[in-house]
DNA sequence: ACTTGAAGATACCGATCGGTATGCTATATT
DNA sequence: AATATAGCATACCGATCGGTATCTTCAAGT
């Protein structure tokens, strides 16, 4: 009974990290255990299968992301500020998540893994779908706020535009990861989102006048 | 010397198919050989490593896609028609590629695999980058044509918008695959692209008046 | 103090992994 | 016809795969 929760968390985070820098099927249980400093007996004491660990890690990861999203979508901010917060968060996350790794862009390991899962890996797929549903709610709220504020052109389908954001962000992050270039993400993120939500020109922020400097790592 | 090219092609296409319905690292050499009706000796006669097969399969896949792209981007079409062709091709490809498989949406296996590859799998990454570079040229040509035709609002950065298309399409296909819903792709593809290229309203085609019916499978 | 069960350690399981060594066979070359 | 080599088959390699069986340890409940 010596520190069960800590062992579990260590496994969760180690697994997330390893899956992050490669992918689900190429990361072995042995490797996870070794890096987590945990024996296999302990592993299978906490999780029935490797897939179950994955699902747990996915939820664990979402909890952290939920905190971030709650923060940037706080009612303390206007919808426009929330949008800006989102842009900054995406960039910032790539930096923080890639610390101690050799990647410039991480993306979301669980989402991409879910998109690559075969029909057989139902658990993996469901985990990604679950996260997708969660994040979609936040995006809908953002777009609804923007629309309510009257900063969008036309009369868009809110849920559809929310999906647009998601598609684009995911695609961009995969691209950024493929090219191993965070600058590639920076170059396209803002303008792409602006176009997808069709933000009125007068509310757009030019790339040259970004609020924070790129290197504001100060925690 | 009995039919070397055929054996090679069989391996290439079998590998592509298998990787398609799952992913690179979870598909074994044995499985590929078995399904291709080829022995392991034959496999390693044609390819040095599994990764080399993957790269070859990637190029083989690109050759087919290049033919498709050359067809839809033919000078016989106006830029607007080319755009419409692209939309139809993406949908159609998902249908044709998924025949005999249990997936509704396939996406591009090589691109997503490249995006998930670790730093170590340089070959896999390079293959995806290579294909990315190729397809980007086509997208640039499309956007340039559209801009030249004067059907786009504003004065967009052509290369950037071309990248936008790619990000969005890839993200959407991963989403469609995750949800296993081709309708999800259909629902967002056209409108998303329109917004990213900022096509003038008068040139947009409403979802309800699509040129071909959804079920036109006739080869 | 004694029991109980969670937490974890060690050793092992058959299966499969990517890859190799060697041999056979048919065709092309001389 | 003899030879050489591409094309392929069979058998096998050590390593690793996900998972299990069994054991110890330690802390809480009574």
């Amino acid at each position: 009974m010596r520190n069960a929760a800590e062992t579990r968390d260590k496994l969760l985070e180690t697994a997330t990290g390893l899956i992050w820098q490669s992918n689900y099927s190429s990361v072995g249980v042995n490797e996870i255990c070794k890096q987590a400093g945990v024996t296999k007996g302990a592993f299978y004491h906490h999780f029935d299968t490797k897939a179950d660990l994955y699902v747990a890690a996915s939820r664990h990861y979402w909890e952290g992301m939920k905190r971030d999203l709650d923060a940037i979508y706080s009612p303390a901010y206007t919808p426009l500020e929330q949008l800006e917060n989102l842009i900054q968060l995406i960039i910032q996350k790539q930096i923080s998540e890639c610390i101690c790794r050799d990647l410039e862009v991480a993306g979301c390991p669980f989402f991409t893994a879910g998109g690559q899962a075969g029909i057989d890996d139902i658990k993996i797929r469901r985990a990604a779908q679950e996260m997708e549903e969660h994040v979609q709610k936040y995006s809908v709220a953002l777009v609804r706020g923007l629309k309510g504020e009257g900063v969008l052109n036309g009369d868009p389908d809110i849920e559809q535009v929310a999906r647009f954001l998601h598609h684009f962000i995911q695609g961009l992050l995969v691209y950024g990861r493929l090219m191993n270039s965070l600058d590639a993400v920076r170059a396209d993120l803002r303008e792409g989102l602006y176009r997808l939500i069709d933000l009125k020109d007068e509310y757009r922020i030019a790339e040259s006048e970004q609020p924070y400097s790129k290197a504001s790592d100060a925690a």
Side-chain angles (χ1 to χ4, degrees), chain A:
Chain A
M1 309 169 179
R2 175 59 207 263
N3 236 340
E6 187 178 314
T7 303
R8 203 185 130 95
D9 274 20
K10 184 71 180 166
L11 280 171
L12 252 33
E13 265 154 44
T14 303
T16 302
L18 284 176
I19 291 171
W20 221 313
Q21 59 190 282
S22 55
N23 64 77
Y24 173 70
S25 48
S26 70
V27 172
V29 174
N30 292 305
E31 192 182 350
I32 297 174
C33 292
K34 190 178 173 186
Q35 176 138 341
V38 163
T39 63
K40 220 166 182 182
F43 181 102
Y44 281 101
H45 175 76
H46 287 280
F47 305 100
D48 284 349
T49 67
K50 181 189 169 189
D52 287 330
L53 162 76
Y54 177 86
V55 172
S58 174
R59 296 207 226 273
H60 183 76
Y61 171 71
W62 163 249
E63 287 169 22
M65 194 160 85
K66 176 168 163 48
R67 276 192 294 274
D68 287 333
L69 293 182
D70 283 335
I72 67 167
Y73 288 151
S74 158
Y77 301 109
T78 68
L80 275 173
E81 286 171 335
Q82 291 174 2
L83 174 63
E84 185 56 34
N85 286 341
L86 174 64
I87 293 172
Q88 298 302 327
L89 177 68
I90 291 170
I91 301 292
Q92 204 56 39
K93 267 291 165 186
Q94 306 310 315
I95 297 172
S96 60
E97 298 291 358
C98 291
I99 280 179
C100 295
R101 296 184 235 274
D102 35 14
L103 295 171
E104 279 210 14
V105 178
C108 172
F110 301 102
F111 185 77
T112 55
Q116 264 194 359
I119 292 289
D120 38 326
D121 331 278
I122 316 180
K123 287 182 180 176
I124 275 71
R125 195 182 219 95
R126 276 299 306 149
Q129 288 175 357
E130 189 180 311
M131 195 148 62
E132 166 59 31
E133 291 165 16
H134 287 146
V135 76
Q136 169 71 3
K137 289 180 188 166
Y138 282 82
S139 297
V140 167
L142 169 64
V143 177
R144 175 172 291 123
L146 289 166
K147 185 176 178 181
E149 204 82 336
V151 298
L152 303 185
N153 290 315
D155 179 29
D157 176 339
I158 290 177
E159 305 222 346
Q160 187 186 45
V161 172
R163 288 196 303 271
F164 286 167
L165 301 187
H166 182 261
H167 302 331
F168 182 78
I169 292 169
Q170 293 299 333
L172 174 58
L173 289 181
V174 171
Y175 177 87
R177 174 160 175 160
L178 174 61
M179 299 303 179
N180 197 35
S181 162
L182 181 54
D183 280 329
V185 176
R186 269 194 272 255
D188 291 347
L189 178 57
R190 177 186 305 268
E191 177 70 15
L193 294 183
Y194 283 169
R195 284 177 172 247
L196 285 172
I197 62 178
D198 202 4
L199 185 65
K200 287 180 181 173
D201 281 348
E202 57 265 39
Y203 298 110
R204 300 192 182 196
I205 302 176
E207 206 60 31
S208 52
E209 38 170 327
Q210 283 181 40
Y212 325 105
S213 101
K214 288 178 179 178
S216 68
D217 268 35

